[in-house]
Amino acid sequence: MSNILNKKSFLLFLLLFGSTIQFGDYIGNRYFVPLLSLFSVIIFLPGVKSLKKINIFNELLFIHLFSYTFFVILSVIGHADFEDIFFDMAKLFVSFSMSFILILLVLNVTDKSLKKIVDISSISVIFVLSLEFYIRFSNVNFDSIFLNLHLLKIDSPFFFDSNAVAFYGIFYFILFYYYYNNYLEKKSYFNNFTLLKIAMLIIGTLSRSAIITLFIIIIWHYYFFKFKFKLKFKFIYLLVFLVFTLLFIKDILLLIQEDLSGSTKLEIYRIFLDKFFMQDIRGGLFGYGINLGNYVYSYKEGLYSHALIPMITGYFGFIGVILYFCFFIYFAIITKGHSLFAFLTAFIIGLSYLHPFLETFFLAHGFIVGLYLRKARKKVISE
């Protein structure tokens, strides 16, 4: 029994810790260690037979396998050629297998092992972000920074740019934040320091979408999970807030348009709607695959579509958008809204830019789902 537990703990450590090791071209490619970790876990996972004893194992397997297969079918029906279909299959496999395996492993390790794995992984994330910030900062002339802060947003040593750094940081932030605040019975100073340090490093990327999202999700978490109001009152207050937002939506849009980046985002969605109705039925419903789909709804020739919904629509069409949201709605239902902590993070960032199948997002989502199901199971056993 001890060997099985040790094996499951090691596999979770290998997957979670390995996914944090992202040093870009310094180790060949940003994806090298995370992918190596994932496929190593997949190789050894069949030997852990106790994983199938989970009550909802078949349900979890079905929803992941069904979603994966359906997206692949959309890729085949769409305009993608054989090479693009193979790429789509690989990209989708990484994301959905990451989510599925994380849920299973989180449900099957001891609390003591889980805490050690999370603590070690958090140290790794802080190290990666700190080293990235130091190298990026040291490559810029100190005097020039005060004249143009945008210089700190370019030429990340490990990632495509500092926005990508921010996305890496924020998904690990919500993973640790949820674990410390919704699962761990008592937070330590180390836990608070971890969250504060990662938050500061996210702010250091100067990614406005990530910084805004960071504050929104913390407020959202406290509003729905910490404040002692009845759920119906929380939704009433939220509805009132949305009504006031709609009343001032014109002023908000004018404010956004005054900013160059903000006006670009509005232009992206305007062009997306125009171009969507210009597509043939096949392209509009089934998309063009991930590679070609990146550019179908671009606001400028040769550039990415940039935002989450235009990108999904370009990849797998209108049907793909429905399937994508259904996948996350399913988990929102079985976790009573807790998985939205990950999905809303992705959705808000995605209003600006986010790859719909970013592996770190699916990792964080799977981990949070696993934690919720684990805590729910413990509650049933205690009763």
Side-chain angles (χ1 to χ4, degrees), residues 294-332:
N294 277 321
Y295 306 96
V296 174
Y297 299 106
S298 173
Y299 68 103
K300 276 188 180 181
E301 194 68 31
L303 296 180
Y304 270 37
S305 304
H306 215 276
L308 185 72
I309 293 177
M311 290 177 81
I312 303 172
T313 311
Y315 296 169
F316 304 112
F318 180 71
I319 295 175
V321 173
I322 295 174
L323 177 62
Y324 187 83
F325 280 92
C326 284
F327 176 80
F328 292 106
I329 289 171
Y330 163 80
F331 283 107

Side-chain angles (χ1 to χ4, degrees), residues 244-263:
F244 273 98
T245 302
L246 290 173
L247 289 174
F248 295 99
I249 190 67
K250 186 177 180 180
D251 297 309
I252 294 171
L253 291 175
L254 287 173
L255 183 64
I256 293 173
Q257 283 181 324
E258 290 178 2
D259 175 72
L260 180 61
S261 178
S263 61

Side-chain angles (χ1 to χ4, degrees), residues 351-366:
L351 293 174
S352 175
Y353 170 74
L354 183 75
H355 193 292
F357 298 97
L358 182 69
E359 74 287 347
T360 316
F361 163 41
F362 277 76
L363 177 139
H365 182 268

Side-chain angles (χ1 to χ4, degrees), residues 39-292:
F39 287 112
S40 298
V41 169
I42 290 173
I43 290 172
F44 292 104
L45 197 64
V48 187
K49 297 179 180 179
S50 61
L51 294 178
K52 294 183 180 180
K53 295 180 181 180
I54 298 172
N55 290 336
I56 61 169
F57 175 86
N58 290 332
E59 191 176 334
L60 291 171
L61 179 61
F62 173 79
I63 192 66
H64 283 88
L65 193 58
F66 173 82
S67 299
Y68 170 76
T69 304
F70 208 113
F71 275 120
V72 171
I73 291 173
L74 290 176
S75 179
V76 173
I77 297 175
H79 294 67
D81 57 26
F82 179 77
E83 185 177 339
D84 287 337
I85 291 170
F86 182 79
F87 175 82
D88 291 356
M89 290 174 65
K91 180 67 179 177
L92 293 166
F93 178 79
V94 169
S95 298
F96 285 108
S97 60
M98 187 83 77
S99 170
F100 177 64
I101 294 171
L102 250 297
I103 297 173
L104 294 185
L105 292 177
V106 168
L107 283 168
N108 276 275
V109 298
T110 63
D111 282 338
K112 188 176 180 180
S113 295
L114 184 61
K115 187 177 185 307
K116 286 183 178 179
I117 293 167
V118 171
D119 286 345
I120 295 172
S121 298
S122 68
I123 293 171
S124 177
V125 170
I126 290 174
F127 176 75
V128 171
L129 288 173
S130 299
L131 184 59
E132 190 280 338
F133 179 79
Y134 172 77
I135 297 174
R136 177 161 46 91
F137 192 93
S138 62
N139 285 338
V140 179
N141 183 278
F142 191 75
D143 294 327
S144 301
I145 294 173
F146 293 99
L147 298 174
N148 185 6
L149 284 172
H150 187 73
L151 291 173
L152 278 177
K153 287 178 62 66
I154 59 176
D155 295 331
S156 169
F158 303 152
F159 299 83
F160 180 75
D161 58 18
S162 68
N163 285 322
V165 182
F167 303 156
Y168 166 90
I170 201 166
F171 285 115
Y172 282 109
F173 176 87
I174 64 168
L175 186 156
F176 302 139
Y177 187 93
Y178 185 87
Y179 174 73
Y180 295 147
N181 287 279
N182 284 71
Y183 187 82
L184 204 61
E185 293 182 359
K186 186 178 180 181
K187 279 197 299 183
S188 65
Y189 288 113
F190 171 77
N191 303 145
N192 290 323
F193 169 78
T194 296
L195 295 176
L196 179 62
K197 182 68 174 177
I198 295 176
M200 290 173 61
L201 289 165
I202 291 172
I203 293 172
T205 65
L206 302 182
S207 171
R208 281 175 292 186
S209 61
I211 294 170
I212 292 170
T213 303
L214 183 67
F215 286 103
I216 290 176
I217 60 172
I218 292 174
I219 293 170
W220 180 84
H221 177 267
Y222 270 89
Y223 183 76
F224 277 100
F225 298 117
K226 296 298 181 180
F227 289 170
K228 302 300 180 181
F229 295 126
K230 288 185 178 180
L231 189 60
K232 64 178 181 180
F233 290 117
K234 292 180 179 179
F235 280 110
I236 290 173
Y237 296 147
L238 181 62
L239 183 61
V240 172
F241 172 76
L242 291 175
V243 169
F244 273 98
T245 302
L246 290 173
L247 289 174
F248 295 99
I249 190 67
K250 186 177 180 180
D251 297 309
I252 294 171
L253 291 175
L254 287 173
L255 183 64
I256 293 173
Q257 283 181 324
E258 290 178 2
D259 175 72
L260 180 61
S261 178
S263 61
T264 300
K265 303 301 184 295
L266 294 178
E267 186 69 5
I268 288 170
Y269 287 100
R270 186 189 67 78
I271 292 176
F272 162 62
L273 291 174
D274 290 342
K275 286 190 173 183
F276 178 76
F277 292 104
M278 294 169 58
Q279 307 301 316
D280 58 31
I281 294 178
R282 183 182 175 190
L285 289 179
F286 306 110
Y288 299 86
I290 293 177
N291 283 328
L292 290 177

